[in-house]
Amino acid sequence: MNEHVKVTDTTAAAPATKPTVKAVPMLPDAQTVTEVQHYTDRLFRFRCTRPASLRFRSGEFVMIGLMGEPHPETGKQKPLLRAYSIASPSWDEEMEFYSIKVEDGPLTSRLQHIKVGDEVILRPKPVGTLVHDALIPGKRIWFFATGTGFAPFASLLREPQTYEDYDEIIITHTCREADELIYGRELIEGLKDDELLNEVIGEGFWKKIKYYPTTTREESAKMGRITDLMRSGEAFKELGVEPLNPEQDRAMICGNLAFNLELKEMFEEYGLEEGANSKPAHYVVEKAFLD
Ligand SMILES: Cc1cc2nc3c(=O)[nH]c(=O)nc-3n(C[C@H](O)[C@H](O)[C@H](O)COP(=O)(O)OP(=O)(O)OC[C@H]3O[C@@H](n4cnc5c(N)ncnc54)[C@H](O)[C@@H]3O)c2cc1C
Ligand SMILES: NC(=O)c1ccc[n+]([C@@H]2O[C@H](COP(=O)([O-])OP(=O)(O)OC[C@H]3O[C@@H](n4cnc5c(N)ncnc54)[C@H](OP(=O)(O)O)[C@@H]3O)[C@@H](O)[C@H]2O)c1
């Protein structure tokens, strides 16, 4: 019996010959939490069951959430949903999400307390621009993230197509503090020992990855905003590559609005054109959160 369904026994009302045990989800589009891991007082990840019918492309996002509080007069409850990048790859049997905890955030002030066995709502309608289909072929792909903007790249770094399409993958992650890099770093380090991916994609596939984490407000091995480090040329020198060019480089950006806009401006200077699902080009952008 699937654990994430409630069982309603209706045998008394039905003919004895028919098995009539009916599975009824507790919530609309309910999925069951299977794993929760906290990284800092502002960041955690969780995994949950995957709707059987859900197909998505690595890099897309869905709406997830919890049931809202009952209306004080009517007692009615409405789902409280937010956009979330799917952090797991398209082939994964489960879904993974990497989340912020906003102290007074309507959703995450509650979502941060979920435990294994709890239910979350997951609307099975994936969308998004951070997909391979929105890029034309190239040699090298760059993933640029700030904060929880790492989430879609957690999916794409575990997606075989990423390694089939590109010779080199560069992932930059800029956060305020060092502990905010842990999720990304552990995920990338874990790829080396991932037997399934090494078998499916090819032994040592992870050697194609160059990881460039930086912090801005706490001491770490590399300090500074990635945008500044690119402008000064330091990032390119340390990565051992030339600045991006439209012939070989492709890029995906996921961060706060100012970060996205700043990188877009830099890319236009490099001669890269923004792509979309309907019109693939050199780079694509998505917000890691609104405002
Ligand atoms: C396309 C898209 C994909 C997203 N994917 C993710 C994801 O994978 N993981 C995730 O944690 N959030 C993601 N978000 C943000 C998410 O939708 C919610 O805003 C977040 O879960 C907080 O919800 P809330 O109701 O608690 O607070 P909200 O009322 O939604 O937000 C309150 C304030 O918190 C800040 N904030 C919100 N989200 C973040 C964040 N992720 N990082 C830093 N500050 C934030 C903003 O200043 C915002 O005004 C995504 C948003 C968009 C538009
Ligand atoms: N992270 C925390 O510890 C913390 C704690 C309490 C509250 N908050 C609040 O939560 C919200 C989100 O914080 P966040 O840290 O998750 O996300 P964020 O403010 O988007 O910052 C994430 C990283 O992106 C960098 N960045 C911001 N704008 C950039 C740009 N234009 N170009 C290049 N890099 C850029 C930041 O550098 P800079 O540091 O140089 O801006 C930081 O290293 C904010 O409203 C913040 O006030 C955050």
Side-chain angles (χ1 to χ4, degrees):
M1 178 70 59
N2 196 335
E3 273 180 12
H4 71 282
V5 292
K6 254 196 166 173
V7 172
T8 308
D9 187 352
T10 55
T11 42
T17 48
K18 270 192 181 173
T20 54
V21 177
K22 204 177 162 197
V24 182
M26 263 181 77
L27 295 169
D29 297 322
Q31 299 301 322
T32 304
V33 175
T34 58
E35 206 180 320
V36 183
Q37 187 175 358
H38 292 267
Y39 295 93
T40 70
D41 57 358
R42 295 189 71 243
L43 293 167
F44 73 113
R45 85 173 168 108
F46 68 92
R47 288 174 70 84
C48 66
T49 51
R50 176 173 174 164
S53 61
L54 176 62
R55 298 279 169 274
F56 68 94
R57 294 176 294 174
S58 293
E60 288 187 312
F61 68 88
V62 284
M63 302 299 291
I64 65 169
L66 298 169
M67 213 40 143
E69 301 296 342
H71 188 279
E73 282 155 28
T74 63
K76 277 192 180 164
Q77 285 175 280
K78 279 202 288 188
L80 174 59
L81 302 173
R82 293 285 186 267
Y84 266 81
S85 294
I86 303 168
S88 47
S90 59
W91 51 265
D92 201 325
E93 280 174 14
E94 290 187 338
M95 311 288 292
E96 182 170 316
F97 297 97
Y98 179 51
S99 180
I100 192 79
K101 306 175 200 175
V102 183
E103 209 177 303
D104 52 358
L107 178 64
T108 58
S109 59
R110 293 174 51 211
L111 191 70
Q112 62 179 287
H113 301 297
I114 54 165
K115 297 202 165 42
V116 170
D118 288 352
E119 290 188 328
V120 292
I121 303 169
L122 194 162
R123 291 271 190 261
K125 294 195 177 77
V127 286
T129 54
L130 303 181
V131 291
H132 284 305
D133 293 343
L135 297 175
I136 54 177
K139 279 183 73 177
R140 178 190 297 132
I141 188 157
W142 296 74
F143 296 146
F144 291 98
T146 61
T148 58
F150 189 88
F153 306 132
S155 173
L156 285 154
L157 284 165
R158 293 182 274 188
E159 166 57 55
Q161 193 185 346
T162 302
Y163 304 90
E164 286 157 17
D165 286 1
Y166 298 97
D167 297 339
E168 194 169 26
I169 293 100
I170 299 181
I171 164 93
T172 83
H173 192 195
T174 299
C175 294
R176 294 180 180 206
E177 294 168 14
D179 281 355
E180 296 172 340
L181 295 168
I182 295 174
Y183 173 70
R185 191 179 62 230
E186 287 185 350
L187 188 140
I188 292 167
E189 280 171 1
L191 295 176
K192 295 177 189 167
D193 305 317
D194 191 315
E195 286 179 20
L196 181 70
L197 283 181
N198 275 288
E199 195 185 316
V200 172
I201 307 173
E203 201 59 47
F205 76 95
W206 47 271
K207 289 178 189 158
K208 286 187 170 185
I209 302 172
K210 281 184 175 168
Y211 173 46
Y212 199 75
T214 78
T215 57
T216 50
R217 304 200 189 187
E218 190 186 29
E219 196 76 35
S220 74
K222 189 77 219 167
M223 300 242 355
R225 290 180 165 194
I226 186 62
T227 41
D228 294 339
L229 293 163
M230 285 164 75
R231 271 198 209 92
S232 71
E234 204 175 325
F236 299 119
K237 199 169 154 205
E238 287 176 341
L239 286 163
V241 297
E242 293 295 314
L244 288 80
N245 76 70
E247 278 71 49
Q248 62 173 20
D249 293 288
R250 303 293 170 259
M252 295 192 186
I253 308 170
C254 191
N256 69 61
L257 182 62
F259 173 75
N260 290 1
L261 291 175
E262 216 173 307
L263 270 182
K264 268 176 82 153
E265 211 170 287
M266 290 172 74
F267 286 4
E268 300 295 331
E269 281 168 29
Y270 295 140
L272 272 66
E273 281 171 28
E274 186 170 358
N277 274 287
S278 55
K279 191 175 171 287
H282 303 126
Y283 75 93
V284 279
V285 188
E286 201 146 79
K287 279 187 219 161
F289 54 93
L290 295 175
D291 72 24

